[in-house]
Amino acid sequence: MATVSAALPFALEFDPTTTALIVIDMQRDFVEPGGFGETLGNDVSLLQAIVPTTAALIELFRDHNLPIIHTRECHQPDLSDLPSSKRNRGAPSLRIGDPGPMGRILIAGEPGADIIPELSPLNGEIVIDKPGKGAFYATDLGTHLSRLNVRTLIFAGVTTEVCVQTTMREANDRGFDSLLVEDATESYFPEFKAATLAMIRAQGGIVGWTSTYSQLFEALNGKP
């Protein structure tokens, strides 16, 4: 067993052999300049800032031969899995499926929907294409986790308050213990990240735990 002693709201004890890392939506369209996120008026440098820590987290799991799952929010080219309510909401300059700076926006197989090169999955690592915010909805994530006998999930990625939190809440309802690595997740809105971290660990960890990368590193490497 391993323990993240400084996790909030209290120490998390977990079995590394039944633990997996889920890296949410570190895609070019969200993270890179010129992508969909920037066309919406967002400052993508906020998301870029977590790339080194997220890369270190991925390497930590690779070093321990623990499962890593990457997700991508994207849709089929014919938009058959895209509800009109999602595509038509708001008044953005570009909508999902429109031609954008990196190909059609959030369409599977287009350059912008791919994971940034710094965090590219290795052969054998699971990649989940998801049509919704949560990674369990309309995907085979649950099947993969059952096959791997996973009971604890470590989360990283973007954005904290949307796809990351949604997936953590889905995991909570399915009986998983979940920990979000605070310096490996980010939002375009810092106040939203802060509020989400507080919500996750409120009321005795109603959604899960949070910790820093270094605290998790110490736990996996047998340090108190």
Side-chain angles (χ1 to χ4, degrees):
M1 299 296 287
T3 303
V4 187
S5 301
L8 295 173
F10 52 85
L12 170 64
E13 184 177 77
F14 67 101
D15 181 353
T17 66
T18 59
T19 299
L21 172 64
I22 300 186
V23 184
I24 302 287
D25 297 0
M26 292 297 289
Q27 296 162 252
R28 297 184 63 200
D29 252 333
F30 295 139
V31 177
E32 290 187 358
F36 182 47
E38 190 171 74
T39 71
L40 296 176
N42 296 308
D43 179 4
V44 297
S45 68
L46 293 168
L47 273 56
Q48 290 177 319
I50 68 165
V51 171
T53 302
T54 306
L57 180 61
I58 290 171
E59 287 303 317
L60 175 65
F61 271 69
R62 287 172 180 164
D63 289 344
H64 285 267
N65 296 312
L66 299 178
I68 301 169
I69 299 170
H70 308 259
T71 75
R72 300 181 296 204
E73 182 179 352
C74 56
H75 295 273
Q76 296 300 314
D78 63 1
L79 306 185
S80 58
D81 59 352
L82 175 63
S84 60
S85 61
K86 180 179 181 180
R87 186 173 193 272
N88 297 332
R89 189 172 299 135
S93 60
L94 293 172
R95 296 186 184 276
I96 296 171
D98 288 348
M102 301 182 191
R104 293 179 68 200
I105 299 296
L106 296 185
I107 297 300
E110 297 286 341
D114 205 4
I115 293 166
I116 61 173
E118 299 94 321
L119 306 179
S120 290
L122 296 182
N123 289 336
E125 293 177 354
I126 298 165
V127 179
I128 300 285
D129 285 343
K130 60 185 184 66
K133 303 297 189 290
F136 285 89
Y137 169 70
T139 74
D140 55 0
L141 176 57
T143 300
H144 285 296
L145 296 177
S146 177
R147 173 179 59 82
L148 295 167
N149 193 32
V150 170
R151 298 174 186 170
T152 302
L153 299 173
I154 307 299
F155 281 93
V158 299
T159 61
T160 311
E161 76 278 9
V162 184
C163 295
V164 176
Q165 179 180 205
T166 300
T167 305
M168 286 189 74
R169 289 181 180 274
E170 289 180 325
N172 184 53
D173 284 344
R174 289 162 172 79
F176 294 95
D177 285 335
S178 298
L179 179 143
L180 176 57
V181 180
E182 298 171 14
D183 42 353
T185 186
E186 195 50 83
S187 170
Y188 298 120
F189 307 95
E191 66 274 22
F192 291 178
K193 174 181 175 179
T196 302
L197 294 176
M199 284 189 284
I200 285 169
R201 59 197 182 214
Q203 301 180 73
I206 194 168
V207 175
W209 288 258
T210 72
S211 80
T212 65
Y213 164 74
S214 62
Q215 291 162 350
L216 178 62
F217 178 92
E218 291 176 356
L220 282 173
N221 285 287
K223 298 179 181 179

